[in-house]
Amino acid sequence: MNQISKLQQMIDESSRIVFFGGAGVSTESNIPDFRSADGIYHQKYKYSPEQIVSHSFFMKQTEAFYDFYKEKMMFLDAKPNPAHLKLAELERAGKLTAVVTQNIDGLHQAAGSKNVLELHGSILRNYCMKCHKTYDAHYVKNAPGIPRCECGGIVRPDVVLYEEGLDSDIIRKSIQAIQDADMLIIGGTSLVVYPAASFIDYFHGKYLVVINMGETGRDSMADLVIREPIGKVMEQISV
């Protein structure tokens, strides 16, 4: 039996599937990831991307943060790819209970997924640090330099920067979903970002599947490992 047939069989036998995904899910929507050979971490900047998207850099060098953020992290024309669309279809069919994502692009929701747990926030939500008025992504992207609120405060994206903690409510819901799942599909993530990667430890269901181009620390535990682009894999699945 080939890998796609095996994956199909596992999905057919499961009724509480959780998908745990990372940047590799969105690369087929032309959003660069951070860690692959041509990802953001391998491009040359005056500062490392880890420095730039940290809380302390944001506070001290806000304009330089926004120069990088707008150019390298805001892709407002990106469209959901076959992976996003198939996951939404699985949810509509009552087979998938949650998407737990490390991505901040909002593409799962754009594809129609309803229960999306965004561990690292979203570029689509932005708020004034002074008066808490909210702004959309286009406002931030098109603002010259540092985006400002009408009250004069800085508008910041509702994303989790390095040195900042994850939302405790999202953590709780993510762990609960993974604990309750009978199948966990890990896709498009190298599982090196913590604490998110540690949530996998809460899975005690029947099938653990890893779909990722590179190796992950969970490959040896998985019932199935597929080294293909996730969109290419998921579009072959029937619901």
Side-chain angles (χ1 to χ4, degrees), residues 207-224:
Y207 294 125
L208 176 63
V209 175
V210 175
I211 307 169
N212 195 51
M213 294 297 286
E215 279 183 43
T216 79
R218 303 292 167 142
D219 292 2
S220 59
M221 301 159 55
D223 299 288
L224 178 64

Side-chain angles (χ1 to χ4, degrees), residues 1 5-17 95 182-183 206-207:
M1 191 186 290
S5 304
K6 265 189 199 164
L7 177 60
Q8 182 72 61
Q9 184 185 347
M10 290 173 176
I11 288 173
D12 290 346
E13 291 176 11
S14 304
S15 58
R16 293 186 313 283
I17 301 168
K95 297 201 54 92
D182 57 5
M183 178 176 185
K206 191 172 180 188
Y207 294 125

Side-chain angles (χ1 to χ4, degrees), residues 2-238:
N2 71 23
Q3 289 185 314
I4 300 297
S5 304
K6 265 189 199 164
L7 177 60
Q8 182 72 61
Q9 184 185 347
M10 290 173 176
I11 288 173
D12 290 346
E13 291 176 11
S14 304
S15 58
R16 293 186 313 283
I17 301 168
V18 168
F19 179 80
F20 183 96
V25 179
S26 293
T27 50
E28 287 165 271
S29 296
N30 297 316
I31 295 179
D33 71 351
F34 268 51
R35 289 181 173 77
S36 67
D38 53 355
I40 288 174
Y41 279 157
H42 294 274
Q43 296 173 22
K44 294 289 172 264
Y45 291 95
K46 190 175 169 188
Y47 304 95
S48 74
E50 270 138 324
Q51 273 179 292
I52 297 172
V53 292
S54 69
H55 175 81
S56 47
F57 191 92
F58 173 80
M59 298 305 285
K60 288 178 199 153
Q61 305 204 47
T62 311
E63 191 155 1
F65 168 87
Y66 274 109
D67 287 345
F68 177 88
Y69 176 77
K70 289 181 205 175
E71 186 194 348
K72 295 295 179 186
M73 298 180 77
M74 296 189 85
F75 296 91
L76 303 186
D77 297 329
K79 299 282 185 284
N81 65 52
H84 299 106
L85 296 168
K86 188 62 70 174
L87 291 166
E89 198 183 332
L90 283 164
E91 184 186 55
R92 282 194 299 275
K95 297 201 54 92
L96 183 133
T97 57
V99 169
V100 181
T101 181
Q102 300 172 82
N103 295 342
I104 58 174
D105 51 44
L107 290 180
H108 286 292
Q109 290 93 328
S113 288
K114 299 282 186 266
N115 190 24
V116 182
L117 297 162
E118 296 174 312
L119 295 173
H120 297 150
S122 172
I123 63 168
L124 304 181
R125 296 188 301 271
N126 304 273
Y127 62 93
C128 171
M129 295 171 73
K130 199 163 155 191
C131 75
H132 296 285
K133 182 178 175 183
T134 57
Y135 289 86
D136 67 13
H138 289 281
Y139 181 86
V140 171
K141 179 94 169 171
N142 299 326
I146 300 169
R148 297 261 175 198
C149 175
E150 52 197 26
C151 80
I154 292 171
V155 175
R156 78 155 274 178
D158 187 11
V159 298
V160 180
L161 303 175
Y162 284 106
E163 305 163 352
E164 295 179 341
L166 304 189
D167 181 289
S168 57
D169 192 44
I170 299 287
I171 291 176
R172 184 183 55 75
K173 287 177 178 170
S174 300
I175 289 172
Q176 190 66 57
I178 290 168
Q179 274 180 331
D180 293 343
D182 57 5
M183 178 176 185
L184 179 63
I185 303 173
I186 299 170
T189 173
S190 48
L191 293 175
V192 295
V193 176
Y194 280 80
S198 64
F199 296 172
I200 309 304
D201 295 334
Y202 291 92
F203 177 67
H204 302 294
K206 191 172 180 188
Y207 294 125
L208 176 63
V209 175
V210 175
I211 307 169
N212 195 51
M213 294 297 286
E215 279 183 43
T216 79
R218 303 292 167 142
D219 292 2
S220 59
M221 301 159 55
D223 299 288
L224 178 64
V225 177
I226 303 178
R227 295 241 186 283
E228 296 273 352
I230 188 157
K232 186 179 160 193
V233 172
M234 295 304 287
E235 68 184 350
Q236 298 177 68
I237 294 300
S238 56

